[in-house]
Amino acid sequence: MDEGSSFDKFWPGSLHVVGKDILRFHAIYWPAFLMAADLPVPKRLFAHGWWTKDGEKISKSLGNVIDPVELVEKYGVDQTRFFLMSEVTFGSDGDFSDEKMIFKVNANLANELGNLCHRTLTLVFKNCGKAVPSEIGQYTEEDEKLLATARKLRETASDAISTQAI
C-alpha cells in the first residue's frame, strides 16, 4: 500500500468489533483471508451482544429500528449515554424500551444524583456558613487517600475501555 494512505493509516485495526452472530467468520475465516493476502490481522477481536427493543430483535422489516439521533433529541445526550453505559453492558445483550429509559433516568439521574446534590448543598449550607469555603485547610489522611483514588480514576477507566471491560 502507498505510505501515508488511508489504508496504511488505519490498518491493521487495533480493535475489530463484530456482532456475536458473525464471530466465527471474523475469528477464523477473515484472518485466514488476510494472512493469505499477506496483510496484517486486527490486533484484537471483540464480539458485542444484541440490542433488542421491547424484547424483540431489531430489524427494518419490523419497523422497530432505534435511531440514536432521535434518542438524543427525545431524552438528551447525557441521559442516552447513561442508559447505554448502564443498561447495555459491553459484550452482553441489552434491551431498550421507552419505559426502561424513563425509569433509569428518573431513578438514577434524577433521584439518586439529585439526592446527592441536595445532601451536599445542605451540608455546605449548615456547616460552611451557607457558602462553598474559599480557603481549604490542611488535608487529612482520608482526604489524601480519596484524592489518590480520584487521580487514578482516569487511568483505571482508560484501561477498562481499552480492554472492553466496561
Side-chain angles (χ1 to χ4, degrees):
M1 296 293 145
D2 295 334
E3 195 170 320
S5 68
S6 290
F7 181 85
D8 189 49
K9 181 179 178 182
F10 296 109
W11 195 262
S14 58
L15 176 63
H16 191 76
V17 180
V18 300
K20 67 180 182 179
D21 54 334
I22 57 172
L23 178 60
R24 182 188 319 194
F25 175 83
H26 287 276
I28 299 169
Y29 304 115
W30 179 243
F33 297 154
L34 292 170
M35 288 186 279
D38 201 27
L39 294 170
V41 298
K43 297 173 185 170
R44 186 174 171 88
L45 177 64
F46 185 83
H48 63 76
W50 286 310
W51 199 26
T52 58
K53 183 174 180 188
D54 299 316
E56 292 186 331
K57 183 179 175 183
I58 295 174
S59 78
K60 288 185 267 183
S61 60
L62 289 175
N64 64 352
V65 176
I66 299 170
D67 182 343
V69 174
E70 289 177 12
L71 279 183
V72 169
E73 288 172 354
K74 185 172 182 178
Y75 297 109
V77 69
D78 290 331
Q79 294 86 341
T80 301
R81 282 184 188 141
F82 180 74
F83 179 84
L84 293 175
M85 292 300 293
S86 61
E87 288 294 307
V88 186
T89 308
F90 216 57
S92 300
D93 294 343
D95 185 58
F96 174 84
S97 71
D98 287 299
E99 293 80 19
K100 285 183 182 180
M101 174 70 117
I102 292 166
F103 178 80
K104 190 72 177 171
V105 169
N106 287 341
N108 294 120
L109 290 181
N111 293 346
E112 293 174 6
L113 184 59
N115 190 20
L116 174 64
C117 291
H118 177 73
R119 288 173 182 253
T120 303
L121 293 173
T122 300
L123 284 171
V124 168
F125 186 83
K126 287 181 179 178
N127 301 308
C128 301
K130 302 178 185 177
V132 175
S134 57
E135 294 182 29
I136 299 173
Q138 198 67 18
Y139 289 143
T140 65
E141 185 178 330
E142 291 84 13
D143 293 333
E144 293 293 350
K145 286 179 184 176
L146 181 61
L147 289 168
T149 301
R151 288 183 188 110
K152 286 192 264 179
L153 188 57
R154 182 180 174 110
E155 182 181 336
T156 302
S158 181
D159 290 345
I161 289 168
S162 68
T163 59
Q164 294 74 52
I166 51 177

